[in-house]
């Protein structure tokens, strides 16, 4: 990955940090997108120490704010004209219903809409790469995902699983529709989604929004480590095996089945248009 520029979202924790370290070790220049200066600085120091390189930089962005994403994209493009790999990894699980700065339900807002806007704003830079790759970290939870255009932000009937699973089927619809659009343009850029497995990270235990650290401590022996969980994302970001492969969903480095609803490409197109209108594109 020498001379390649990589952007990892949610890079201060869990699989984002593991992905950052692994790609920096392979020689990439990694930009860590984090929302907190303090957590970002600590993770930057750890990533530099563990990878043994200082080709890693920290840039701040709150994916729960459209203004923050636009400011981030402008700052990123001022420094980097080409983006070789974008790993859309950041994610939240909230027990109680929360909203982003723009009033979106937080899981749909951050896990999908924030990444949807970020990707569009950086797409020209990705298309300038000879083999641009977009890697979307989805989840097996997409299998119970539904979406109601009349209640997208779950004002009625909120539950953490309903919100999380709809944000993760959203990642797959986005992947498939973007793959279709990239193919129409005829370039070499690809986009794929993945399920990392059940991984012991901070997701769902984050600060005041989650399930609490006791649950994680009890379950940790059954989970993969963040390094193991990041394996498929790193594979999709780097392997020559998947050059030219696009619009797929991977688990353990292999194309894996997705739910029937996730395969509904007409719905994916309608959802794309809805997403574009929400983020002001
Ligand atoms: N862990 C699993 O078992 C599992 C299973 C399937 C899929 N996934 C997916 O894997 C991905 C990575 O999650 P993880 O398990 O590694 O969790 P994690 O350790 O909690 O990492 C999530 C990252 O996302 C960042 N983030 C959250 N909200 C953000 C925002 N508004 N703006 C910018 N960054 C934000 C977090 O930053 P802060 O530290 O500042 O909160 C953190 O860096 C997620 O997309 C998740 O849905 C995880």
């Amino acid at each position: 990955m020498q001379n390649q520029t990589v952007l990892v979202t949610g890079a201060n924790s869990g699989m984002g940090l593991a992905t950052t370290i692994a790609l920096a070790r392979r020689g990439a220049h990694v930009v860590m997108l984090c929302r907190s200066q303090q957590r970002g600085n600590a993770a930057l120091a750890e990533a530099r120490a563990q990878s043994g390189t200082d080709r890693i930089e920290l840039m701040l962005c709150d994916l729960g704010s459209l203004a923050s994403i636009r400011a981030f994209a402008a700052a990123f493009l001022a420094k980097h004209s080409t983006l070789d790999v974008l790993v859309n990894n950041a994610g939240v699980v909230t027990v109680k219903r929360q909203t982003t700065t723009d009033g979106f339900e937080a899981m749909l807002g951050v896990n999908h809409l924030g990444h949807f806007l970020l990707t569009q704003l950086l797409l020209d830079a990705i298309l300038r790469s000879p083999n641009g790759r977009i890697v979307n970290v989805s989840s097996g939870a997409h299998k119970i995902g539904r979406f109601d255009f009349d209640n997208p932000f779950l004002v009625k009937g909120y539950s953490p699983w309903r919100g999380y699973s709809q944000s993760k089927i959203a990642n797959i619809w986005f992947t498939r529709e973007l793959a279709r659009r990239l193919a129409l343009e005829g370039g070499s850029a690809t986009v794929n989604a993945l399920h990392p497995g059940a991984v012991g990270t901070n997701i769902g235990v984050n600060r005041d929004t989650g399930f609490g650290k006791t649950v994680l401590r009890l379950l940790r022996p059954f989970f993969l480590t963040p390094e193991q969980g990041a394996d498929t994302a790193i594979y999709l970001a780097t392997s020559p095996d998947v050059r030219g492969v696009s619009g797929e969903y991977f688990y353990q480095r292999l194309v894996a089945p997705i739910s029937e609803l996730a395969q509904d490409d007409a719905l994916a197109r309608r959802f794309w248009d809805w997403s574009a209108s929400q983020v002001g594109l």
Side-chain angles (χ1 to χ4, degrees):
M1 299 211 83
Q2 297 295 336
N3 301 322
Q4 292 207 13
T5 302
V6 174
L7 174 61
V8 180
T9 72
N12 61 286
S13 172
M15 287 178 271
L17 179 56
T19 303
T20 297
I21 293 167
L23 298 181
R25 278 186 183 143
R26 291 169 189 235
H29 176 94
V30 185
V31 180
M32 303 173 74
L33 180 157
C34 303
R35 63 173 156 171
S36 150
Q37 179 88 61
Q38 197 190 7
R39 291 191 291 279
N41 279 340
L44 176 65
E46 187 179 339
R48 284 182 170 167
Q50 287 206 29
S51 64
T53 158
D54 56 5
R55 282 188 306 268
I56 308 176
E57 72 180 290
L58 170 66
M59 292 182 70
L60 296 182
C61 176
D62 178 0
L63 290 163
S65 158
L66 299 178
S68 176
I69 296 165
R70 287 187 177 279
F72 171 88
F76 180 92
L77 293 171
K79 289 193 205 174
H80 305 280
S81 59
T82 302
L83 177 56
D84 298 286
V85 180
L86 169 60
V87 184
N88 285 321
N89 160 82
V92 278
V93 172
T94 60
V95 175
K96 292 200 177 126
R97 184 178 178 278
Q98 301 205 351
T99 51
T100 67
T101 312
D102 306 286
F104 307 144
E105 183 281 316
M107 290 185 274
L108 195 64
V110 172
N111 302 359
H112 167 61
L113 289 169
H115 286 118
F116 179 87
L117 177 62
L118 179 72
T119 306
Q120 311 281 336
L121 296 177
L122 300 180
L123 201 55
D124 284 344
I126 296 167
L127 294 174
R128 278 193 282 274
S129 166
N131 286 292
R133 296 183 187 202
I134 301 162
V135 178
N136 293 329
V137 182
S138 177
S139 169
H142 84 270
K143 291 190 180 173
I144 56 164
R146 303 278 176 276
F147 188 75
D148 178 358
F149 287 94
D150 294 325
N151 184 28
F153 298 127
L154 304 179
V155 174
K156 291 172 286 181
Y158 178 83
S159 79
W161 275 111
R162 192 170 168 194
Y164 185 65
S165 61
Q166 82 165 3
S167 78
K168 291 292 149 179
I169 198 170
N171 294 154
I172 298 182
W173 284 330
F174 172 48
T175 300
R176 289 169 67 92
E177 177 59 12
L178 180 57
R180 190 185 72 81
R181 288 170 183 244
L182 290 173
L184 283 178
E185 287 184 22
S188 59
T190 59
V191 53
N192 290 291
L194 69 111
H195 170 50
V199 189
T201 65
N202 286 322
I203 198 143
V205 292
N206 278 2
R207 283 162 287 287
D208 50 333
T209 59
F211 292 101
K213 289 203 184 299
T214 318
V215 178
L216 178 66
R217 264 199 300 274
L218 290 173
L219 292 176
R220 201 181 285 278
F222 303 102
F223 286 149
L224 300 173
T225 64
E227 292 71 27
Q228 292 167 326
D231 179 73
T232 298
I234 295 162
Y235 172 76
L236 290 174
T238 60
S239 175
D241 299 353
V242 286
R243 182 170 295 153
V245 176
S246 195
E248 299 288 359
Y249 170 82
F250 286 77
Y251 174 49
Q252 294 182 336
R253 297 188 175 200
L254 297 172
V255 173
I258 54 174
S259 70
E260 209 171 306
L261 197 62
Q263 296 171 48
D264 186 335
D265 291 334
L267 192 53
R269 277 181 220 187
R270 187 176 168 207
F271 184 67
W272 177 287
D273 292 341
W274 176 85
S275 303
S277 72
Q278 293 303 313
V279 302
L281 287 174

